[in-house]
Amino acid sequence: MSRSGGDGTGLVVSGSTGDAWELVIGLEVHCELATATKLFCACPNRFGDEPNTNVCPVCLGLPGSLPVLNKAAVELALRIGRALGCTVRPGVFARKNYFYPDMPKDYQISQYDQPTNVDGWLGLPDGSRVGIERAHIEEDTGKNTHAGDTGRIHGSDYSLIDYNRAGVPLVEIVGRPDIATGDQAKAFVSELRKILLATGASDAKMEEGSLRVDANVSVRRPGAGLGTRCEIKNLNSLRSLGRAIDHEARRQIELIEAGDRVTQQTRHWDEEGGCTRPGRSKEEAEDYRYFQEPDLVPLAPSAEWVKDIDEALPTLPAKRRSALGAAAGMADTHAGVVIAVDRDLDALGLAAIQAGGDPARVLTHIEHNLAVEGADALEPEKLADLVKLELEGKLTATQAKVVLAEMVATGTAPAEIAAARGFEAMATSALEATVDEVIGSEQAEWDELVRAPEDDKRIKKLNGFFTGKIMKASRGQADGKAVNALLVQRRSAARVERGLD
Ligand code: ADP
Ligand code: MG
Ligand code: ZN
């Protein structure tokens, strides 16, 4: 079986039958909100503390305790909703009843059939859009650690439970099944992560579990209706997400082609084994006995609150990419544009371009030479000036890189740094003189180079010989490309003169 790879259609061609299959993927993403305290009590919301130190009667579910909704959590949930283009509606909290050791109350408070944020979308850098069904508020559970070989509750020797996470505010973002490839799924999570960071809603660390992804995967023949899906739980890196989707799709295709059918179930990704394994089957589905949480009133954010949220939203990454792309005359997907926004250097890039800096060179510096601390403090006019010096041939690319590093460190103007380092790239006339001088003093080699036919192996070697001599004569100030161009030009002139061409 092989993937068609990178064309965005998500078509997979079966190795055994040659048939084409489509992948259908819908993601459910949990993110922990970056509040100071938990969702319904005043316990600190902090990762990495000593286990069971951030707990109280409310988040331990002791009888008689009452939840009080944290306004800061709602604020962040609304930011997420509005950044994803959702409509804000009155939300109702419900109790989702089930027994599990990480749930001290034996129920989780979650928005169920009336979530706060509904019907949004997320634009991906490739131009596609993925629908968002809902982004609802709920509380996190505690954290189980199962000791034993499996790492799961089944077959474990004993389990440790940390309730510090119980009651931490979460927003669950439920995406529509609009995703067609593992790469697109990764792009979705990566873009969502940028939005969560930009809005300050979450620190969105997959490795610490403040961003957790479940992937629903099904396959179908092109044009057919939706197939039966499996849900792969708790993928904790982008790499695992992509791999898990590819392996799960392959498993389902092989199953169907062998005459079997896919059973709707929860599966887990086994990173070492490189495969998904069954968890509980949805056919023996839990009955959560949802009912409205009697201790909380419905949450109805006012129109003014939503308006304030909208006005305070930062410019989102997609818009920043298109602004920089437009100014540079490049696609939003150009690597330099994407990286500039990722590193918060797009304002610098924009201003440098507006100050007359050549866009391609400005973006090249941002992409390759500015992944350093203090880069954002660089004055855009000075970056533009540096690029102008390069374009005028006064600095080679290598020299420009050195000058730029010093600009970041000291804030000094590029011309000044270049002069202090004795860096002026040679003016063309000076370079020509040096080239001719070296040719004149190495007559035998030059003769050999001129006579050598075009496909002769010696040409490369002799060119290297001359370039080295010229570089040395210019004390490293000549631009390698310019030297090479001059050598080619002098050689063909000599061949014409000698009647060889
Ligand atoms: P549940 O409530 O059982 O989790 P939902 O219908 O709300 O089920 O869907 C949950 C997630 O599954 C959503 O992200 C949705 O996009 C995705 N999904 C639904 N049907 C499919 C399918 N056939 N293939 C892949 N993903 C799907
Ligand atoms: Mg679900
Ligand atoms: Zn508490």
Side-chain angles (χ1 to χ4, degrees):
M1 194 164 307
S2 68
R3 297 204 47 206
S4 58
D7 61 358
T9 62
L11 278 184
V12 173
V13 178
S14 162
S16 42
T17 64
D19 286 353
W21 291 87
E22 267 173 16
L23 270 62
V24 177
I25 302 153
L27 300 181
E28 295 170 272
V29 181
H30 284 90
C31 67
E32 287 181 353
L33 301 179
T35 52
T37 56
K38 293 188 183 181
L39 187 54
F40 300 118
C41 63
C43 290
N45 167 18
R46 231 173 12 229
F47 179 82
D49 280 7
E50 187 72 17
N52 298 309
T53 50
N54 299 329
V55 289
C56 76
V58 174
C59 55
L60 287 177
L62 300 187
S65 63
L66 286 173
V68 177
L69 182 60
N70 180 347
K71 187 176 178 189
V74 179
E75 162 90 22
L76 297 184
L78 292 175
R79 280 193 214 163
I80 294 174
R82 297 302 288 170
L84 295 173
C86 290
T87 304
V88 171
R89 288 209 309 216
V92 173
F93 289 97
R95 287 187 184 180
K96 180 180 181 179
N97 297 281
Y98 66 95
F99 173 78
Y100 206 67
D102 64 6
M103 277 272 321
K105 289 201 291 270
D106 280 357
Y107 60 84
Q108 177 192 25
I109 302 178
S110 174
Q111 294 182 327
Y112 174 51
D113 50 356
Q114 297 178 65
T116 293
N117 303 299
V118 296
D119 279 335
W121 54 276
L122 177 65
L124 300 189
D126 70 4
S128 61
R129 270 191 180 199
V130 177
I132 305 289
E133 191 182 306
R134 53 195 277 157
H136 63 263
I137 306 171
E138 62 186 26
E139 58 179 336
D140 208 344
T141 59
K143 194 168 165 39
N144 288 333
T145 305
H146 303 298
D149 297 339
T150 59
R152 302 203 192 294
I153 196 163
H154 299 288
S156 65
D157 300 330
Y158 59 90
S159 297
L160 299 167
I161 307 172
D162 175 10
Y163 288 126
N164 282 354
R165 204 179 67 178
V168 161
L170 291 179
V171 161
E172 178 177 354
I173 297 145
V174 181
R176 296 195 189 278
D178 294 343
I179 296 175
T181 66
D183 283 345
Q184 227 186 353
K186 285 159 75 174
F188 176 93
V189 173
S190 145
E191 188 68 11
L192 179 60
R193 201 175 158 266
K194 288 173 194 173
I195 291 173
L196 294 171
L197 292 173
T199 54
S202 175
D203 65 4
K205 292 183 181 161
M206 290 188 88
E207 68 283 6
E208 286 186 4
S210 58
L211 188 70
R212 311 196 283 270
V213 180
D214 303 338
N216 296 273
V217 179
S218 65
V219 299
R220 64 178 175 192
R221 310 267 185 189
L226 287 179
T228 304
R229 69 189 154 101
C230 287
E231 181 176 3
I232 315 163
K233 282 291 196 192
N234 275 331
L235 295 158
N236 57 11
S237 72
L238 288 184
R239 185 167 173 271
S240 302
L241 174 65
R243 290 182 71 205
I245 288 171
D246 289 347
H247 282 80
E248 176 59 18
R250 187 177 311 186
R251 186 189 70 85
Q252 292 182 12
I253 292 169
E254 279 167 5
L255 210 60
I256 299 170
E257 291 193 336
D260 254 324
R261 64 183 189 94
V262 176
T263 313
Q264 183 171 339
Q265 64 185 178
T266 301
R267 298 181 71 86
H268 299 279
W269 171 242
D270 173 352
E271 185 73 53
E272 276 95 68
C275 62
T276 63
R277 296 188 192 286
R280 66 193 138 84
S281 165
K282 274 258 165 146
E283 283 174 342
E284 53 198 65
E286 327 76 11
D287 175 6
Y288 290 124
R289 294 170 292 120
Y290 279 102
F291 62 87
Q292 188 172 336
E293 165 61 63
D295 294 334
L296 289 167
V297 294
L299 164 68
S302 68
E304 286 84 34
W305 194 4
V306 176
K307 189 165 158 269
D308 288 348
I309 301 254
D310 284 348
E311 283 170 3
L313 277 185
T315 309
L316 297 174
K319 218 172 193 176
R320 289 165 57 185
R321 287 193 298 265
S322 49
L324 180 58
M330 302 197 186
D332 310 6
T333 48
H334 181 279
V337 171
V338 173
I339 289 171
V341 173
D342 280 355
R343 296 206 185 121
D344 273 332
L345 295 174
D346 50 322
L348 169 69
L350 255 174
I353 291 167
Q354 275 154 7
D358 170 61
R361 279 174 198 257
V362 167
L363 290 182
T364 299
H365 283 306
I366 289 178
E367 186 180 346
H368 299 291
N369 306 329
L370 284 175
V372 289
E373 206 168 321
D376 53 343
L378 199 62
E379 286 171 61
E381 296 74 23
K382 288 182 180 161
L383 178 56
D385 287 344
L386 175 77
V387 162
K388 280 181 212 158
L389 291 176
E390 273 183 276
L391 217 56
E392 287 163 6
K394 293 188 177 148
L395 284 177
T396 65
T398 316
Q399 290 171 334
K401 211 168 146 172
V402 175
V403 171
L404 184 58
E406 197 170 325
M407 285 163 65
V408 172
T410 65
T412 313
E416 221 173 288
I417 299 170
R421 287 186 174 254
F423 264 179
E424 272 153 85
M426 302 181 79
T428 314
S429 58
L431 180 59
E432 284 185 351
T434 309
V435 169
D436 292 334
E437 222 168 84
V438 171
I439 289 174
S441 62
E442 306 291 346
Q443 273 302 314
E445 282 79 4
W446 182 247
D447 197 52
E448 201 182 343
L449 178 60
V450 171
R451 284 165 184 278
E454 241 33 79
D455 53 3
D456 197 303
K457 278 201 224 58
R458 284 173 301 165
I459 290 199
K460 199 171 162 213
K461 211 176 132 216
L462 286 162
N463 261 330
F465 168 81
F466 278 101
T467 306
K469 293 258 171 204
I470 294 161
M471 280 300 186
K472 199 164 170 210
S474 73
R475 285 178 328 243
Q477 293 189 14
D479 178 45
K481 268 196 199 138
V483 170
N484 206 45
L486 271 175
L487 282 173
V488 168
Q489 188 240 323
R490 291 292 197 265
R491 177 173 173 273
S492 42
R495 282 179 67 86
V496 170
E497 205 172 289
R498 295 186 197 184
L500 292 168
D501 276 337

mmCIF file of all heavy atoms in Angstrom, residues 341-381:
data_model
loop_
_atom_site.group_PDB
_atom_site.id
_atom_site.type_symbol
_atom_site.label_atom_id
_atom_site.label_comp_id
_atom_site.label_asym_id
_atom_site.label_seq_id
_atom_site.Cartn_x
_atom_site.Cartn_y
_atom_site.Cartn_z
ATOM 1 N N VAL A 341 6.121 34.748 10.733
ATOM 2 C CA VAL A 341 4.972 34.861 11.642
ATOM 3 C C VAL A 341 5.180 33.958 12.859
ATOM 4 O O VAL A 341 4.943 34.365 13.991
ATOM 5 C CB VAL A 341 3.658 34.540 10.905
ATOM 6 C CG1 VAL A 341 2.489 34.479 11.882
ATOM 7 C CG2 VAL A 341 3.400 35.583 9.820
ATOM 8 N N ASP A 342 5.663 32.745 12.633
ATOM 9 C CA ASP A 342 5.916 31.831 13.751
ATOM 10 C C ASP A 342 6.861 32.446 14.776
ATOM 11 O O ASP A 342 6.721 32.234 15.962
ATOM 12 C CB ASP A 342 6.557 30.526 13.248
ATOM 13 C CG ASP A 342 5.509 29.603 12.665
ATOM 14 O OD1 ASP A 342 4.316 29.937 12.744
ATOM 15 O OD2 ASP A 342 5.895 28.555 12.125
ATOM 16 N N ARG A 343 7.853 33.179 14.281
ATOM 17 C CA ARG A 343 8.856 33.730 15.201
ATOM 18 C C ARG A 343 8.532 35.148 15.619
ATOM 19 O O ARG A 343 9.379 35.838 16.190
ATOM 20 C CB ARG A 343 10.229 33.730 14.516
ATOM 21 C CG ARG A 343 10.701 32.359 14.200
ATOM 22 C CD ARG A 343 12.235 32.314 14.148
ATOM 23 N NE ARG A 343 12.652 31.010 13.731
ATOM 24 C CZ ARG A 343 13.390 30.778 12.643
ATOM 25 N NH1 ARG A 343 13.813 31.786 11.907
ATOM 26 N NH2 ARG A 343 13.717 29.548 12.319
ATOM 27 N N ASP A 344 7.327 35.611 15.277
ATOM 28 C CA ASP A 344 6.935 36.980 15.619
ATOM 29 C C ASP A 344 7.858 38.012 14.989
ATOM 30 O O ASP A 344 8.123 39.053 15.571
ATOM 31 C CB ASP A 344 6.943 37.184 17.153
ATOM 32 C CG ASP A 344 5.614 36.768 17.738
ATOM 33 O OD1 ASP A 344 4.597 36.853 17.019
ATOM 34 O OD2 ASP A 344 5.596 36.357 18.912
ATOM 35 N N LEU A 345 8.360 37.714 13.808
ATOM 36 C CA LEU A 345 9.247 38.659 13.139
ATOM 37 C C LEU A 345 8.575 39.260 11.897
ATOM 38 O O LEU A 345 9.227 39.900 11.075
ATOM 39 C CB LEU A 345 10.566 37.978 12.741
ATOM 40 C CG LEU A 345 11.437 37.505 13.912
ATOM 41 C CD1 LEU A 345 12.648 36.729 13.412
ATOM 42 C CD2 LEU A 345 11.894 38.700 14.759
ATOM 43 N N ASP A 346 7.257 39.038 11.770
ATOM 44 C CA ASP A 346 6.587 39.544 10.576
ATOM 45 C C ASP A 346 6.496 41.069 10.566
ATOM 46 O O ASP A 346 6.584 41.684 9.502
ATOM 47 C CB ASP A 346 5.205 38.905 10.397
ATOM 48 C CG ASP A 346 4.362 38.957 11.654
ATOM 49 O OD1 ASP A 346 4.917 38.778 12.753
ATOM 50 O OD2 ASP A 346 3.146 39.191 11.548
ATOM 51 N N ALA A 347 6.358 41.682 11.763
ATOM 52 C CA ALA A 347 6.279 43.149 11.798
ATOM 53 C C ALA A 347 7.617 43.726 11.321
ATOM 54 O O ALA A 347 7.652 44.679 10.536
ATOM 55 C CB ALA A 347 5.968 43.626 13.200
ATOM 56 N N LEU A 348 8.707 43.093 11.769
ATOM 57 C CA LEU A 348 10.043 43.517 11.332
ATOM 58 C C LEU A 348 10.180 43.384 9.814
ATOM 59 O O LEU A 348 10.624 44.305 9.123
ATOM 60 C CB LEU A 348 11.106 42.653 12.023
ATOM 61 C CG LEU A 348 12.528 42.766 11.507
ATOM 62 C CD1 LEU A 348 13.121 44.120 11.830
ATOM 63 C CD2 LEU A 348 13.421 41.655 12.090
ATOM 64 N N GLY A 349 9.770 42.220 9.293
ATOM 65 C CA GLY A 349 9.868 41.972 7.855
ATOM 66 C C GLY A 349 9.062 42.986 7.057
ATOM 67 O O GLY A 349 9.558 43.560 6.077
ATOM 68 N N LEU A 350 7.817 43.210 7.501
ATOM 69 C CA LEU A 350 6.946 44.156 6.810
ATOM 70 C C LEU A 350 7.579 45.543 6.758
ATOM 71 O O LEU A 350 7.663 46.159 5.690
ATOM 72 C CB LEU A 350 5.625 44.272 7.580
ATOM 73 C CG LEU A 350 4.407 43.597 6.998
ATOM 74 C CD1 LEU A 350 3.234 43.698 7.957
ATOM 75 C CD2 LEU A 350 4.045 44.221 5.659
ATOM 76 N N ALA A 351 8.052 46.009 7.927
ATOM 77 C CA ALA A 351 8.605 47.358 8.003
ATOM 78 C C ALA A 351 9.885 47.460 7.171
ATOM 79 O O ALA A 351 10.134 48.480 6.526
ATOM 80 C CB ALA A 351 8.865 47.734 9.448
ATOM 81 N N ALA A 352 10.702 46.395 7.159
ATOM 82 C CA ALA A 352 11.945 46.426 6.380
ATOM 83 C C ALA A 352 11.622 46.496 4.885
ATOM 84 O O ALA A 352 12.296 47.191 4.118
ATOM 85 C CB ALA A 352 12.802 45.212 6.691
ATOM 86 N N ILE A 353 10.581 45.764 4.480
ATOM 87 C CA ILE A 353 10.182 45.806 3.069
ATOM 88 C C ILE A 353 9.635 47.194 2.729
ATOM 89 O O ILE A 353 9.958 47.774 1.689
ATOM 90 C CB ILE A 353 9.147 44.697 2.769
ATOM 91 C CG1 ILE A 353 9.825 43.323 2.850
ATOM 92 C CG2 ILE A 353 8.507 44.902 1.395
ATOM 93 C CD1 ILE A 353 8.866 42.151 2.872
ATOM 94 N N GLN A 354 8.836 47.729 3.653
ATOM 95 C CA GLN A 354 8.293 49.074 3.409
ATOM 96 C C GLN A 354 9.406 50.122 3.374
ATOM 97 O O GLN A 354 9.282 51.135 2.694
ATOM 98 C CB GLN A 354 7.253 49.426 4.473
ATOM 99 C CG GLN A 354 5.878 48.872 4.100
ATOM 100 C CD GLN A 354 4.995 48.616 5.323
ATOM 101 O OE1 GLN A 354 5.355 48.969 6.451
ATOM 102 N NE2 GLN A 354 3.844 48.007 5.092
ATOM 103 N N ALA A 355 10.499 49.865 4.088
ATOM 104 C CA ALA A 355 11.624 50.803 4.074
ATOM 105 C C ALA A 355 12.514 50.589 2.855
ATOM 106 O O ALA A 355 13.614 51.138 2.775
ATOM 107 C CB ALA A 355 12.429 50.659 5.359
ATOM 108 N N GLY A 356 12.083 49.772 1.915
ATOM 109 C CA GLY A 356 12.809 49.616 0.669
ATOM 110 C C GLY A 356 13.698 48.391 0.583
ATOM 111 O O GLY A 356 14.447 48.238 -0.372
ATOM 112 N N GLY A 357 13.639 47.508 1.587
ATOM 113 C CA GLY A 357 14.451 46.290 1.539
ATOM 114 C C GLY A 357 13.893 45.301 0.525
ATOM 115 O O GLY A 357 12.689 45.124 0.444
ATOM 116 N N ASP A 358 14.756 44.674 -0.234
ATOM 117 C CA ASP A 358 14.334 43.674 -1.212
ATOM 118 C C ASP A 358 13.635 42.527 -0.462
ATOM 119 O O ASP A 358 14.235 41.904 0.425
ATOM 120 C CB ASP A 358 15.573 43.158 -1.945
ATOM 121 C CG ASP A 358 15.259 41.944 -2.792
ATOM 122 O OD1 ASP A 358 14.426 42.075 -3.708
ATOM 123 O OD2 ASP A 358 15.828 40.858 -2.506
ATOM 124 N N PRO A 359 12.348 42.233 -0.794
ATOM 125 C CA PRO A 359 11.568 41.262 -0.013
ATOM 126 C C PRO A 359 12.220 39.886 0.107
ATOM 127 O O PRO A 359 12.270 39.311 1.188
ATOM 128 C CB PRO A 359 10.248 41.158 -0.786
ATOM 129 C CG PRO A 359 10.142 42.423 -1.545
ATOM 130 C CD PRO A 359 11.549 42.847 -1.866
ATOM 131 N N ALA A 360 12.742 39.376 -1.017
ATOM 132 C CA ALA A 360 13.309 38.020 -0.977
ATOM 133 C C ALA A 360 14.477 37.954 0.007
ATOM 134 O O ALA A 360 14.605 37.021 0.798
ATOM 135 C CB ALA A 360 13.750 37.595 -2.358
ATOM 136 N N ARG A 361 15.332 38.982 -0.033
ATOM 137 C CA ARG A 361 16.487 38.966 0.880
ATOM 138 C C ARG A 361 16.084 39.193 2.329
ATOM 139 O O ARG A 361 16.640 38.582 3.237
ATOM 140 C CB ARG A 361 17.507 40.027 0.457
ATOM 141 C CG ARG A 361 18.369 39.516 -0.674
ATOM 142 C CD ARG A 361 19.279 40.602 -1.202
ATOM 143 N NE ARG A 361 19.740 40.203 -2.525
ATOM 144 C CZ ARG A 361 20.959 39.718 -2.751
ATOM 145 N NH1 ARG A 361 21.805 39.578 -1.770
ATOM 146 N NH2 ARG A 361 21.306 39.369 -3.971
ATOM 147 N N VAL A 362 15.106 40.074 2.537
ATOM 148 C CA VAL A 362 14.613 40.296 3.910
ATOM 149 C C VAL A 362 14.094 38.977 4.472
ATOM 150 O O VAL A 362 14.446 38.571 5.591
ATOM 151 C CB VAL A 362 13.491 41.365 3.917
ATOM 152 C CG1 VAL A 362 12.763 41.353 5.259
ATOM 153 C CG2 VAL A 362 14.071 42.755 3.637
ATOM 154 N N LEU A 363 13.284 38.265 3.676
ATOM 155 C CA LEU A 363 12.705 37.006 4.162
ATOM 156 C C LEU A 363 13.776 35.945 4.344
ATOM 157 O O LEU A 363 13.723 35.132 5.267
ATOM 158 C CB LEU A 363 11.612 36.510 3.216
ATOM 159 C CG LEU A 363 10.328 37.351 3.229
ATOM 160 C CD1 LEU A 363 9.281 36.755 2.290
ATOM 161 C CD2 LEU A 363 9.743 37.460 4.635
ATOM 162 N N THR A 364 14.776 35.934 3.477
ATOM 163 C CA THR A 364 15.869 34.969 3.634
ATOM 164 C C THR A 364 16.585 35.179 4.963
ATOM 165 O O THR A 364 16.873 34.226 5.685
ATOM 166 C CB THR A 364 16.874 35.104 2.470
ATOM 167 O OG1 THR A 364 16.170 34.822 1.272
ATOM 168 C CG2 THR A 364 18.020 34.122 2.621
ATOM 169 N N HIS A 365 16.858 36.442 5.290
ATOM 170 C CA HIS A 365 17.510 36.710 6.589
ATOM 171 C C HIS A 365 16.634 36.245 7.741
ATOM 172 O O HIS A 365 17.120 35.640 8.695
ATOM 173 C CB HIS A 365 17.834 38.199 6.726
ATOM 174 C CG HIS A 365 19.045 38.612 5.945
ATOM 175 N ND1 HIS A 365 20.259 37.982 6.084
ATOM 176 C CD2 HIS A 365 19.235 39.578 5.010
ATOM 177 C CE1 HIS A 365 21.142 38.544 5.279
ATOM 178 N NE2 HIS A 365 20.539 39.518 4.599
ATOM 179 N N ILE A 366 15.336 36.542 7.653
ATOM 180 C CA ILE A 366 14.436 36.144 8.747
ATOM 181 C C ILE A 366 14.402 34.627 8.870
ATOM 182 O O ILE A 366 14.447 34.071 9.962
ATOM 183 C CB ILE A 366 13.022 36.730 8.512
ATOM 184 C CG1 ILE A 366 13.061 38.244 8.739
ATOM 185 C CG2 ILE A 366 11.996 36.053 9.425
ATOM 186 C CD1 ILE A 366 11.757 38.949 8.507
ATOM 187 N N GLU A 367 14.344 33.957 7.725
ATOM 188 C CA GLU A 367 14.232 32.503 7.746
ATOM 189 C C GLU A 367 15.520 31.845 8.263
ATOM 190 O O GLU A 367 15.467 30.916 9.060
ATOM 191 C CB GLU A 367 13.905 31.999 6.332
ATOM 192 C CG GLU A 367 13.617 30.503 6.289
ATOM 193 C CD GLU A 367 13.304 30.005 4.880
ATOM 194 O OE1 GLU A 367 13.044 30.844 3.984
ATOM 195 O OE2 GLU A 367 13.330 28.783 4.688
ATOM 196 N N HIS A 368 16.674 32.328 7.797
ATOM 197 C CA HIS A 368 17.914 31.592 8.086
ATOM 198 C C HIS A 368 18.827 32.220 9.128
ATOM 199 O O HIS A 368 19.616 31.534 9.756
ATOM 200 C CB HIS A 368 18.705 31.387 6.794
ATOM 201 C CG HIS A 368 17.956 30.603 5.772
ATOM 202 N ND1 HIS A 368 17.682 29.266 5.929
ATOM 203 C CD2 HIS A 368 17.371 30.978 4.609
ATOM 204 C CE1 HIS A 368 16.982 28.835 4.882
ATOM 205 N NE2 HIS A 368 16.778 29.861 4.079
ATOM 206 N N ASN A 369 18.773 33.546 9.264
ATOM 207 C CA ASN A 369 19.804 34.187 10.084
ATOM 208 C C ASN A 369 19.275 34.898 11.320
ATOM 209 O O ASN A 369 20.040 35.526 12.033
ATOM 210 C CB ASN A 369 20.589 35.204 9.239
ATOM 211 C CG ASN A 369 21.137 34.558 7.972
ATOM 212 O OD1 ASN A 369 21.444 33.370 7.972
ATOM 213 N ND2 ASN A 369 21.234 35.325 6.908
ATOM 214 N N LEU A 370 17.968 34.810 11.562
ATOM 215 C CA LEU A 370 17.442 35.586 12.688
ATOM 216 C C LEU A 370 16.742 34.733 13.739
ATOM 217 O O LEU A 370 15.887 35.220 14.471
ATOM 218 C CB LEU A 370 16.514 36.695 12.186
ATOM 219 C CG LEU A 370 17.242 37.900 11.561
ATOM 220 C CD1 LEU A 370 16.266 38.896 10.978
ATOM 221 C CD2 LEU A 370 18.144 38.588 12.581
ATOM 222 N N ALA A 371 17.092 33.445 13.798
ATOM 223 C CA ALA A 371 16.523 32.601 14.845
ATOM 224 C C ALA A 371 17.330 32.794 16.122
ATOM 225 O O ALA A 371 17.821 31.849 16.719
ATOM 226 C CB ALA A 371 16.543 31.140 14.419
ATOM 227 N N VAL A 372 17.492 34.040 16.511
ATOM 228 C CA VAL A 372 18.332 34.345 17.672
ATOM 229 C C VAL A 372 17.603 35.307 18.590
ATOM 230 O O VAL A 372 16.714 36.035 18.162
ATOM 231 C CB VAL A 372 19.661 35.017 17.234
ATOM 232 C CG1 VAL A 372 20.549 34.014 16.542
ATOM 233 C CG2 VAL A 372 19.400 36.219 16.348
ATOM 234 N N GLU A 373 18.005 35.304 19.835
ATOM 235 C CA GLU A 373 17.385 36.206 20.793
ATOM 236 C C GLU A 373 17.701 37.650 20.415
ATOM 237 O O GLU A 373 18.797 37.947 19.953
ATOM 238 C CB GLU A 373 17.914 35.888 22.198
ATOM 239 C CG GLU A 373 16.906 36.291 23.258
ATOM 240 C CD GLU A 373 17.277 35.718 24.613
ATOM 241 O OE1 GLU A 373 17.741 34.566 24.645
ATOM 242 O OE2 GLU A 373 17.095 36.424 25.592
ATOM 243 N N GLY A 374 16.733 38.513 20.587
ATOM 244 C CA GLY A 374 16.956 39.926 20.312
ATOM 245 C C GLY A 374 16.657 40.310 18.882
ATOM 246 O O GLY A 374 16.696 41.487 18.517
ATOM 247 N N ALA A 375 16.333 39.323 18.038
ATOM 248 C CA ALA A 375 16.074 39.620 16.625
ATOM 249 C C ALA A 375 14.890 40.571 16.464
ATOM 250 O O ALA A 375 14.876 41.414 15.565
ATOM 251 C CB ALA A 375 15.828 38.332 15.853
ATOM 252 N N ASP A 376 13.917 40.440 17.372
ATOM 253 C CA ASP A 376 12.721 41.283 17.227
ATOM 254 C C ASP A 376 13.003 42.750 17.567
ATOM 255 O O ASP A 376 12.201 43.620 17.254
ATOM 256 C CB ASP A 376 11.570 40.730 18.075
ATOM 257 C CG ASP A 376 11.974 40.519 19.518
ATOM 258 O OD1 ASP A 376 13.190 40.483 19.791
ATOM 259 O OD2 ASP A 376 11.083 40.405 20.370
ATOM 260 N N ALA A 377 14.147 43.024 18.195
ATOM 261 C CA ALA A 377 14.473 44.415 18.535
ATOM 262 C C ALA A 377 15.235 45.114 17.402
ATOM 263 O O ALA A 377 15.531 46.302 17.473
ATOM 264 C CB ALA A 377 15.293 44.463 19.814
ATOM 265 N N LEU A 378 15.541 44.359 16.359
ATOM 266 C CA LEU A 378 16.273 44.923 15.223
ATOM 267 C C LEU A 378 15.461 46.060 14.605
ATOM 268 O O LEU A 378 14.255 45.949 14.439
ATOM 269 C CB LEU A 378 16.450 43.801 14.200
ATOM 270 C CG LEU A 378 17.526 43.933 13.136
ATOM 271 C CD1 LEU A 378 18.898 43.995 13.798
ATOM 272 C CD2 LEU A 378 17.458 42.723 12.211
ATOM 273 N N GLU A 379 16.141 47.153 14.245
ATOM 274 C CA GLU A 379 15.402 48.244 13.599
ATOM 275 C C GLU A 379 15.209 47.901 12.123
ATOM 276 O O GLU A 379 16.170 47.612 11.419
ATOM 277 C CB GLU A 379 16.198 49.550 13.718
ATOM 278 C CG GLU A 379 16.162 50.130 15.117
ATOM 279 C CD GLU A 379 17.124 51.287 15.256
ATOM 280 O OE1 GLU A 379 16.957 52.289 14.528
ATOM 281 O OE2 GLU A 379 18.071 51.172 16.064
ATOM 282 N N PRO A 380 13.958 47.962 11.660
ATOM 283 C CA PRO A 380 13.663 47.545 10.285
ATOM 284 C C PRO A 380 14.438 48.344 9.231
ATOM 285 O O PRO A 380 14.861 47.787 8.220
ATOM 286 C CB PRO A 380 12.159 47.777 10.145
ATOM 287 C CG PRO A 380 11.671 48.354 11.419
ATOM 288 C CD PRO A 380 12.741 48.278 12.433
ATOM 289 N N GLU A 381 14.653 49.641 9.513
ATOM 290 C CA GLU A 381 15.381 50.462 8.523
ATOM 291 C C GLU A 381 16.805 49.927 8.357
ATOM 292 O O GLU A 381 17.361 49.940 7.261
ATOM 293 C CB GLU A 381 15.458 51.937 8.956
ATOM 294 C CG GLU A 381 14.114 52.649 9.035
ATOM 295 C CD GLU A 381 13.300 52.226 10.251
ATOM 296 O OE1 GLU A 381 13.905 51.743 11.249
ATOM 297 O OE2 GLU A 381 12.059 52.344 10.201
#
